[in-house]
Amino acid sequence: MAAVLASTTPDDSSFDVDKLTYEIFSILENKFLFGGYDDPKLSKNTHQVPIQEQLKPTKQFNGGKVRILSIDGGGANNGILAAKSLTYLESCLRRKSGNPNAAVSDYFDVVAGSGSGGVLAALLFTRGKNGRPMFTAEEALNFLVKINKKMNRSQGVFSKLFGSAKAEKVFAKTFGELTLKDTIKSALIPCYDLSTHAPFLFSRADALEMDGYDFKMSDVCLATSADPTIVGAVDMRSVDKRTKIVAIDGGIAMNNPTAAAITHVLNNKQEFPLCNGVEDLLVVSLGNGESDFGYQNQNSTPARFVRIAGEGASDMVDQAVSMAFGNCRTSNYVRIQVLDSVKLQKVKQHQISNSFAEKSNYQTGMEI
């Protein structure tokens, strides 16, 4: 488990995203990323590949381990930090592999994303016309930044957009008629379904097995990012019209979808027959930065309290997953989250008070 020790306030002059992303991925390069990648020449359009072929066991690298990328929702910067981090990662992959077209999706077998993280996952793992991902990491970052500039920062990236006719136009223009079946790798994107009062997980595996669980990617992005405190719920149906949900923000259901992704892999023997336990997984869980509300913001808006609840749930998932990995925690699981300034100050004070008593567990700004 790793937590990046830095303030997350975007307006803070000390907030250097480029430096932060360099530190983040310096600990990942050898452990997770270079066991191999899928040859772009072998990529085919999903509609031309029979379902039984798509459900064949996934290629696994690094000694047969399944690699999972999980991206949190919300955060202090509404997906910008995760997108910037993945942009840096993709450039590293291209440089080290010698392939100028290498993509993040080539190096992970499963992606899970919630809220803005779900939108980012959809952008990076949905198949384009040429059989490769629709967006590079840099293009996905620019997409989020462009929308961020149009929104009121205090209300979040998509707050005024989601649930409106404008939202449908933005995502319909981006994804067209593409559906969950058109994702390159196994994809998991959650929302909360008000009609059943339970989380709903958009899943590529479910979509391939049953048309009633196949949704347009534009609707998936709408559902996982529908802010209930601003625009309310979004009604939508599956492609075959048989399944109806009333969706709100995926962060309400599972702001940190890491546990859902792990459970999916361990129980999906059709795609991952060689995966029998956490020792067969390599998991990278990306946070989006904790909100720096501080003690003076006790009269925050409902939207901020929802975000606080989501971040608390994310921390609990991190703790549970870390414990589940046991002895494999330091080798098979990496959690990357930017701490708010209050927690950062406490960590620094703890380091100082213990520096003469015992060797510190913190190195180069990270907790391992």
Side-chain angles (χ1 to χ4, degrees):
M1 178 175 63
V4 181
L5 307 183
S7 172
T8 64
T9 308
D11 294 330
D12 190 343
S13 59
S14 65
F15 184 77
D16 188 338
V17 175
D18 288 322
K19 180 179 179 181
L20 185 59
T21 53
Y22 176 81
E23 292 177 352
I24 285 174
F25 286 104
S26 65
I27 67 173
L28 301 179
E29 290 180 344
N30 294 324
K31 185 181 297 183
F32 288 90
L33 304 177
F34 300 103
Y37 64 93
D38 295 343
D39 188 343
K41 296 179 181 179
L42 299 179
S43 298
K44 298 180 180 179
N45 190 292
T46 302
H47 292 302
Q48 299 175 350
V49 182
I51 290 178
Q52 58 269 28
E53 291 295 321
Q54 296 183 50
L55 288 175
K56 280 186 176 181
T58 302
K59 289 182 180 180
Q60 297 171 19
F61 305 105
N62 287 329
K65 290 180 171 56
V66 177
R67 288 179 290 190
I68 298 173
L69 173 63
S70 177
I71 311 172
D72 282 15
N77 47 73
N78 298 291
I80 301 300
L81 177 60
K84 179 64 177 178
S85 299
L86 291 174
T87 299
Y88 180 81
L89 168 61
E90 193 167 82
S91 67
C92 289
L93 294 174
R94 291 176 175 179
R95 183 176 66 254
K96 292 207 169 188
S97 67
N99 178 7
N101 297 314
V104 171
S105 60
D106 296 329
Y107 287 81
F108 290 94
D109 305 299
V110 181
V111 65
S114 182
S116 55
V119 175
L120 182 57
L123 295 172
L124 295 176
F125 282 78
T126 301
R127 193 185 307 272
K129 294 180 180 179
N130 61 353
R132 297 291 290 154
M134 290 182 62
F135 283 71
T136 65
E138 184 174 2
E139 290 169 345
L141 171 63
N142 292 336
F143 179 90
L144 294 180
V145 170
K146 182 178 180 180
I147 294 180
N148 186 44
K149 290 180 179 179
K150 296 180 180 179
M151 299 300 110
N152 185 326
R153 176 174 293 182
S154 65
Q155 293 180 328
V157 176
F158 303 111
S159 57
K160 293 182 180 178
L161 181 67
F162 290 138
S164 66
K166 184 182 294 185
E168 295 183 27
K169 290 181 180 179
V170 169
F171 287 120
K173 181 179 179 180
T174 302
F175 294 100
E177 297 299 314
L178 296 174
T179 72
L180 282 166
K181 292 181 180 180
D182 295 300
T183 51
I184 293 175
K185 299 289 181 67
S186 186
L188 302 163
I189 300 176
C191 69
Y192 188 86
D193 182 13
L194 292 178
S195 64
T196 60
H197 303 287
F200 186 92
L201 195 61
F202 296 104
S203 167
R204 174 181 180 266
D206 291 342
L208 290 172
E209 290 188 358
M210 186 179 299
D211 289 338
Y213 290 107
D214 190 22
F215 288 79
K216 289 184 178 181
M217 291 306 296
S218 56
D219 288 341
V220 171
C221 290
L222 277 173
T224 195
S225 303
D227 189 335
T229 65
I230 305 296
V231 298
V234 178
D235 294 342
M236 61 185 58
R237 290 182 179 272
S238 58
V239 174
D240 66 0
K241 308 300 182 184
R242 288 188 294 177
T243 304
K244 178 183 178 180
I245 63 173
V246 183
I248 57 175
D249 192 348
I252 301 295
M254 53 183 80
N255 198 57
N256 178 353
T258 305
I262 292 173
T263 302
H264 171 79
V265 172
L266 294 179
N267 289 279
N268 186 353
K269 295 301 181 183
Q270 192 167 12
E271 287 187 90
F272 309 104
L274 302 179
C275 189
N276 298 312
V278 293
E279 65 276 3
D280 297 320
L281 302 175
L282 293 175
V283 180
V284 177
S285 178
L286 286 180
N288 262 312
E290 294 185 345
S291 302
D292 193 5
F293 295 134
Y295 296 108
Q296 304 302 320
N297 288 319
Q298 297 182 18
N299 295 321
S300 296
T301 64
R304 286 190 170 185
F305 281 118
V306 169
R307 179 171 290 183
I308 291 171
E311 291 172 3
S314 292
D315 289 342
M316 293 180 67
V317 170
D318 171 38
Q319 289 291 331
V321 170
S322 181
M323 293 178 66
F325 270 85
N327 294 332
C328 301
R329 177 175 63 86
T330 58
S331 60
N332 291 39
Y333 173 59
V334 174
R335 168 68 175 170
I336 300 170
Q337 176 66 299
V338 184
L339 302 183
D340 63 60
S341 59
V342 175
K343 287 186 179 180
L344 177 61
Q345 185 62 32
K346 288 183 177 180
V347 169
K348 289 181 177 179
Q349 291 174 353
H350 176 77
Q351 286 180 280
I352 294 173
S353 63
N354 288 280
S355 60
F356 298 102
E358 58 181 340
K359 183 179 179 180
S360 175
N361 291 324
Y362 296 90
Q363 299 177 352
T364 63
M366 291 190 177
E367 177 190 4
I368 305 298

